[in-house]
Amino acid sequence: MEHKLREFFDNALKEVSLDCTVFGFHEGELKVLLLRWKGTEEWSLPGGHILLDESADDAAGRILSQRTGLSDVFLQQFYTFGNVNRYVYHPEKELLEKLEATFGKGFFDGIIFRRTVSIGYFALVEFAQVQPTPDWFTDECRWWSLAEVPRLLFDHNEMIERALKALRQRIRNQPVGYNLLPEKFTMPELQRLYETILDRPFDRRNFQKLLMSYDILERLEEKRVGAANKSPYLYRFVKEKYDRAGLEGISFSM
Amino acid sequence: MEHKLREFFDNALKEVSLDCTVFGFHEGELKVLLLRWKGTEEWSLPGGHILLDESADDAAGRILSQRTGLSDVFLQQFYTFGNVNRYVYHPEKELLEKLEATFGKGFFDGIIFRRTVSIGYFALVEFAQVQPTPDWFTDECRWWSLAEVPRLLFDHNEMIERALKALRQRIRNQPVGYNLLPEKFTMPELQRLYETILDRPFDRRNFQKLLMSYDILERLEEKRVGAANKSPYLYRFVKEKYDRAGLEGISFSM
DNA sequence: CCAAAAGTGTTTTTATTACACCCATGA
DNA sequence: TCATGGGTGTAATAAAAACACTTTTGG
């Protein structure tokens, strides 16, 4: 296995890594996918290295697909982290000791590099579709509510902060939701997604008016039943129109 | 000299480079700074590598300062270029041959790397303040009008395109101009800057109204004289207010 | 029958756009 | 004196925000 890893690095960029902030939406909360490193209580974002014959975007897709089981996810680069002190919360020695206890002494020689720059990606995924899967360095992969994210390894807390900013920026120029919600959803659910991402309330009537004005949503005959209240209509995105709106840009200015 | 270069690379990241699109504004046109490679007619953006003890932002500042003589310029990362085929317009063999004719055969072994990822920065500078200065690989550094930029080495045409998009994006959320104009300027000059960047005309009265509403500009008593028309007032940015507006964000929505 | 949440339009306010005449300057 | 470009305000239109009552549902 060690052998396989070294082989991987022979075919990969060493000084460049890549980390993904994977956003999901569940029970009215934004969540991110985190990994716990083998033999430790330390968490980090999913990430990895770029193969020599692979673009950065392809690498991000590959890594994401390995951690979630999904392909063709919404995935976008948002910032490249190039500080010298990116490892400030790298309990450098202690972490290495713990990991060597698990992986064997000297295992990381030639795998942990003197300095790396990391390209930050964020992904939007449908919570229920994800099969969180740890990688070879980690033994747990699970969702965390944004508010409960612990202190992470490296500069990964900063990465999440910036990813969230990028998402908030994006939501004002492009529709968001297709990737985060199940195929059919209600208007109040979509509204809660927007309220969660932007962390502020909207007026129901104005919200519906604005979203419908983009002409990317289709209201279905079906309603969601089961709650002790009036059954809300179900909607779905019209993919072609949604994609077109994404390219041409919208102005969500509430 | 070769020695010095190799020494540099011993202390620098090899798989990561960095390229700057430097925007200036002169005679009503946006210009970018380009370099011509020694012994060739090939042009590229100014760029370089990151030292091991230097952040990516610091490296960009260093490189920019070497090419322009300026320090403390507005400089911002906008995208990281990670395609495998970044060298498509790298007339790979021909360029290398020409360069080896200048620098000596085998000179580039160990300096041109199997694969690099490049962090794109864009800079806004005051045209008249710049002292264009070639680097060690190039023998000419000069301004080019955006419209006249030739086919560049590597993926640098794409970089400029994306940099311009980033600038256009930025101009709608943050004031731009402090870095591109001389200290004192007229309202029509500022308007022409906006018109040039966004490539569309504005109404004079509405433009002035909106810009003044941000409360970042001060109208001076002085006027610009010399033209065969009514002398326009001079304005200047109030730095503290300009910076605050930059942090808090404005909405330029004309 | 009650609590909970969804459906629905109109008015007010604010922001954006369109538009034209006079004035100062240098040649 | 004339051509050029700058200074200035108001009215019309469009967009955003505020706002409340009725309906349906399950318990």
Side-chain angles (χ1 to χ4, degrees):
Chain A
M1 198 57 180
E2 178 176 342
H3 189 70
K4 218 171 149 187
L5 258 179
R6 293 193 190 283
E7 199 180 299
F8 174 86
F9 277 108
D10 282 344
N11 294 306
L13 292 170
K14 293 183 172 61
E15 296 173 351
V16 187
S17 69
L18 175 165
D19 293 290
C20 302
T21 303
V22 185
F23 289 109
F25 183 64
H26 187 58
E27 292 176 344
E29 285 191 311
L30 267 186
K31 318 231 164 179
V32 293
L33 211 51
L34 298 178
L35 294 160
R36 187 169 53 75
W37 287 52
K38 279 183 181 167
T40 75
E41 284 303 316
E42 306 286 350
W43 294 80
S44 79
L45 290 173
H49 284 258
I50 303 171
L51 293 170
L52 286 178
D53 62 355
E54 178 187 59
S55 72
D57 287 355
D58 288 347
R62 173 176 54 77
I63 289 163
L64 199 69
S65 139
Q66 288 165 355
R67 299 283 76 66
T68 63
L70 303 177
S71 47
D72 289 321
V73 212
F74 173 87
L75 190 58
Q76 193 173 293
Q77 186 201 117
F78 65 92
Y79 191 75
T80 294
F81 297 82
N83 278 347
V84 180
N85 59 350
R86 289 191 50 224
Y87 299 101
V88 155
Y89 187 69
H90 196 194
E92 190 128 23
K93 263 175 255 146
E94 303 95 65
L95 176 65
L96 206 58
E97 279 166 17
K98 282 187 222 164
L99 290 174
E100 286 191 328
T102 305
F103 292 98
K105 192 121 186 105
F107 178 79
F108 289 95
D109 300 356
I111 290 182
I112 292 187
F113 309 105
R114 50 182 190 174
R115 165 104 188 260
T116 62
V117 160
S118 186
I119 308 177
Y121 280 80
F122 75 97
L124 307 179
V125 301
E126 192 183 329
F127 185 87
Q129 299 285 317
V130 172
Q131 297 284 336
T133 311
D135 63 19
W136 200 78
F137 290 98
T138 55
D139 47 29
E140 189 177 358
C141 179
R142 72 166 176 90
W143 291 103
W144 287 72
S145 288
L146 259 190
E148 290 161 11
V149 166
R151 185 161 186 190
L152 304 177
L153 289 173
F154 321 120
D155 52 356
H156 288 192
N157 292 94
E158 188 197 341
M159 284 189 184
I160 292 179
E161 264 173 55
R162 281 209 189 237
L164 185 58
K165 266 195 198 154
L167 172 58
R168 285 178 177 160
Q169 185 60 39
R170 185 190 166 81
I171 208 175
R172 21 196 82 264
N173 301 309
Q174 264 144 359
V176 161
Y178 181 82
N179 309 280
L180 283 163
L181 292 173
E183 196 203 343
K184 299 175 185 178
F185 51 87
T186 67
M187 191 56 73
E189 282 164 0
L190 181 58
Q191 181 174 339
R192 273 191 288 279
L193 172 62
Y194 271 73
E195 290 179 332
T196 303
I197 291 176
L198 293 172
D199 194 28
R200 66 184 208 71
F202 296 107
D203 176 89
R204 285 188 294 144
R205 282 169 286 191
N206 294 339
F207 182 83
Q208 169 154 2
K209 232 181 297 172
L210 189 61
L211 269 286
M212 290 310 284
S213 78
Y214 300 143
D215 187 32
I216 54 175
L217 281 168
E218 173 185 26
R219 193 213 282 214
L220 308 174
E221 293 305 312
E222 296 173 75
K223 299 185 171 193
R224 167 147 307 160
V225 292
N229 54 44
K230 190 169 179 178
S231 307
Y233 286 98
L234 288 171
Y235 292 78
R236 99 177 129 208
F237 289 105
V238 182
K239 187 68 161 66
E240 311 85 61
K241 293 182 176 176
Y242 182 94
D243 289 341
R244 181 151 33 78
L247 286 174
E248 292 170 5
I250 59 171
S251 162
F252 181 85
S253 56
M254 253 198 299
Chain B
M1 198 56 181
E2 179 178 342
H3 189 70
K4 220 172 149 186
L5 257 180
R6 295 196 188 281
E7 197 181 299
F8 174 86
F9 277 108
D10 282 344
N11 294 306
L13 291 170
K14 293 183 172 61
E15 295 173 352
V16 187
S17 69
L18 173 165
D19 293 292
C20 302
T21 302
V22 185
F23 289 108
F25 183 66
H26 188 56
E27 292 175 342
E29 285 190 310
L30 267 186
K31 316 229 164 180
V32 293
L33 212 51
L34 297 179
L35 295 160
R36 187 169 54 72
W37 287 52
K38 279 183 180 165
T40 76
E41 285 302 316
E42 306 286 350
W43 294 79
S44 79
L45 290 173
H49 283 258
I50 303 169
L51 293 170
L52 285 177
D53 62 354
E54 179 187 59
S55 73
D57 287 355
D58 288 347
R62 171 175 54 76
I63 289 163
L64 199 69
S65 139
Q66 289 164 355
R67 300 283 76 65
T68 64
L70 302 177
S71 47
D72 289 322
V73 216
F74 173 86
L75 190 59
Q76 195 173 292
Q77 187 202 116
F78 66 91
Y79 190 74
T80 294
F81 297 82
N83 279 346
V84 180
N85 59 349
R86 289 192 50 227
Y87 299 101
V88 157
Y89 188 69
H90 195 193
E92 190 128 23
K93 266 174 252 146
E94 303 94 66
L95 175 65
L96 207 59
E97 278 165 18
K98 284 188 220 162
L99 290 173
E100 286 191 329
T102 306
F103 292 99
K105 190 118 187 106
F107 179 78
F108 289 96
D109 300 357
I111 289 182
I112 291 186
F113 308 106
R114 49 181 190 174
R115 164 105 187 260
T116 62
V117 160
S118 186
I119 309 177
Y121 280 80
F122 74 98
L124 307 178
V125 302
E126 191 183 330
F127 184 87
Q129 300 284 316
V130 172
Q131 296 284 335
T133 312
D135 63 19
W136 200 77
F137 291 97
T138 56
D139 47 29
E140 188 179 358
C141 179
R142 72 165 175 90
W143 290 104
W144 287 71
S145 288
L146 259 190
E148 290 161 10
V149 166
R151 185 160 185 190
L152 303 177
L153 289 173
F154 319 119
D155 52 355
H156 289 191
N157 292 96
E158 188 196 341
M159 285 189 184
I160 293 179
E161 263 173 56
R162 281 209 189 238
L164 185 58
K165 265 195 198 155
L167 171 57
R168 284 178 177 159
Q169 184 60 39
R170 184 190 167 80
I171 208 175
R172 19 196 83 265
N173 301 311
Q174 263 146 356
V176 160
Y178 182 82
N179 309 278
L180 283 164
L181 293 172
E183 196 203 343
K184 298 175 185 177
F185 51 87
T186 68
M187 191 58 73
E189 283 163 2
L190 181 59
Q191 181 175 339
R192 273 191 288 277
L193 172 62
Y194 271 72
E195 290 179 332
T196 304
I197 292 177
L198 293 172
D199 194 28
R200 65 186 211 72
F202 296 107
D203 177 271
R204 285 187 293 140
R205 281 169 288 192
N206 294 339
F207 182 83
Q208 168 152 0
K209 229 183 299 171
L210 189 61
L211 269 285
M212 290 310 283
S213 77
Y214 300 144
D215 187 33
I216 55 176
L217 281 168
E218 173 185 27
R219 190 211 278 207
L220 308 174
E221 292 306 311
E222 296 172 78
K223 299 183 172 195
R224 166 146 310 158
V225 293
N229 54 45
K230 191 169 178 178
S231 307
Y233 286 99
L234 289 170
Y235 291 78
R236 104 178 124 205
F237 289 106
V238 183
K239 188 68 163 65
E240 310 86 62
K241 292 182 176 175
Y242 182 95
D243 289 341
R244 180 149 34 78
L247 286 173
E248 292 170 6
I250 60 171
S251 163
F252 181 85
S253 53
M254 251 194 305

